[in-house]
Amino acid sequence: MNRAIAVVAAIVSLSPCTLYALYTVDNKGSWPTSWPKELEGLREQSRTLVGPTRLCRHYAIPFAEREAFEAAWPHLLKVKTKGAQIVLRRGTSFWLGDGSKAGVCIHTPPAGEAPVEDAKDARQNAERTIYIELIVDGDIIDLNRIPLPPDTPISDERFKDGAIKP
């Protein structure tokens, strides 16, 4: 009985404490209106995450159909900083949420901070660029079906942990 009272007392005393989240989440794509108009239809299925410390913006767009992704791909490439990397990943993604295994996350600097535009600087200052992370599933996002820009560094992290995981 004393133990139960101690647990309840601890919960009550700690409940008014302020909690901090690493990211704020908006369940829509709130990217700039200056981005290609062809991306407008993707806002409702997207989400925006801001954080963790420098308040960088991350725009996550899950895809359920190959045709929708392939139609959006050329326009997604237009927002990327020239010379900035494309990161390839597989499996579920923190950015996409809901167990989605195919999609794109566009990482940008904090609001009000202009991204680096020079390709040389982009490689040295990745956090100051707009770069793309592709969550590849081989079906909806199939690297054999899309062009990757020739002047873009590709960071393939799909097999980073060794064995293939489901």
Side-chain angles (χ1 to χ4, degrees):
M1 184 68 172
N2 288 340
R3 178 178 240 147
I5 292 172
V7 169
V8 170
I11 291 171
V12 170
S13 67
L14 295 175
S15 63
C17 295
T18 304
L19 298 176
Y20 294 97
L22 291 177
Y23 291 91
T24 59
V25 179
D26 186 5
N27 287 317
K28 67 176 181 176
S30 57
W31 52 76
T33 56
S34 61
W35 284 16
K37 299 295 178 207
E38 293 83 358
L39 300 177
E40 287 299 315
L42 301 174
R43 283 189 191 271
E44 292 304 313
Q45 73 191 50
S46 305
R47 66 187 201 150
T48 302
L49 294 93
V50 179
T53 53
R54 288 188 58 235
L55 301 183
C56 292
R57 302 199 182 283
H58 313 273
Y59 305 105
I61 310 168
F63 286 93
E65 298 174 358
R66 178 190 300 168
E67 296 77 16
F69 168 72
E70 289 178 0
W73 180 241
H75 307 292
L76 292 166
L77 287 174
K78 291 176 186 175
V79 302
K80 184 181 79 61
T81 301
K82 181 177 171 59
Q85 68 179 340
I86 294 176
V87 178
L88 306 177
R89 298 195 192 277
R90 65 177 160 66
T92 56
S93 169
F94 162 77
W95 303 114
L96 299 178
D98 297 331
S100 182
K101 292 186 178 185
V104 175
C105 186
I106 302 171
H107 302 278
T108 69
E113 189 175 309
V116 172
E117 293 186 22
D118 183 275
K120 183 176 168 183
D121 286 341
R123 289 187 184 99
Q124 295 172 354
N125 300 303
E127 72 280 354
R128 294 184 51 218
T129 66
I130 298 175
Y131 71 95
I132 295 175
E133 184 174 334
L134 276 177
I135 294 71
V136 179
D137 69 341
D139 183 31
I140 296 167
I141 298 181
D142 181 353
L143 296 176
N144 294 316
R145 296 180 53 93
I146 60 169
L148 295 175
D151 62 339
T152 299
I154 306 296
S155 178
D156 191 350
E157 298 189 8
R158 293 174 295 160
F159 309 103
K160 185 176 180 181
D161 297 329
I164 297 175
K165 295 180 186 174

